[in-house]
Amino acid sequence: MTRSERSPLLLAGLLATAGVAHFASPRQFDATIPSALPGTPRTWTYASGAVELALAAGIALPRTRKASALAAAAFFVGVFPANVKMAVDWRNRPAPLKAAAIGRLPLQLPLVLWARSVARSGEAQA
C-alpha cells in the first residue's frame, strides 16, 4: 500500500480515535466548548464526537471520500475556537500542559491541508 493510499485511512483513523474519545472521556472535551454556544457543553461534545465518527466512516469509503474529506477540512476549521478556548483556559497550568494547549493551535492548519489533500486524491477515484 502506497503512502497516498494510506493517507485517507490514517486520517479516518485519527478522526475515529478522536470521536471515540469524545464518548469515552467527555468531561475533558466539555471544558473546551465555548460558553457562547447554545445548549450544554456535553451536547456539543457528543455531537462533535458523532461528527468525527461519521467523517471517519465517510473518508474510509472511496465512494464518499471526497465529500467527507472536504467536510473534515471544514470541521477542523470549525473546532478551532474550542482549541483557542483551551489554550486561554490553560494559560496558568504547568508549562508542559500549557505548551500542549498552545501547540495544538498551529496543528489545525496541517489537518485542514491533509483533509483537502485526501479530498483531491478522492477525485481520482470518483
Side-chain angles (χ1 to χ4, degrees):
M1 182 178 276
T2 68
R3 182 177 179 192
S4 64
E5 291 171 330
R6 283 192 312 263
S7 185
L9 299 179
L10 291 172
L11 181 58
L14 174 79
L15 284 161
T17 300
V20 168
H22 278 73
F23 291 97
S25 185
R27 188 176 299 139
Q28 69 184 17
F29 296 98
D30 291 349
T32 68
I33 305 300
S35 60
L37 291 175
T40 66
R42 183 61 50 93
T43 299
W44 286 100
T45 294
Y46 286 155
S48 178
V51 168
E52 286 171 323
L53 291 171
L55 290 170
I59 290 169
L61 298 170
R63 198 174 90 219
T64 56
R65 182 167 294 153
K66 179 182 176 187
S68 297
L70 290 172
F75 178 80
F76 292 140
V77 171
V79 299
F80 187 72
N83 292 339
V84 170
K85 181 183 184 307
M86 181 180 178
V88 169
D89 289 349
W90 286 27
R91 68 186 175 276
N92 296 320
R93 298 246 178 138
L97 294 175
K98 185 165 110 176
I102 292 169
R104 288 181 63 179
L105 298 176
L107 289 178
Q108 291 303 113
L109 180 59
L111 288 172
V112 170
L113 296 175
W114 184 13
R116 288 183 56 207
S117 173
V118 167
R120 281 194 302 276
S121 71
E123 289 174 357
Q125 296 175 9

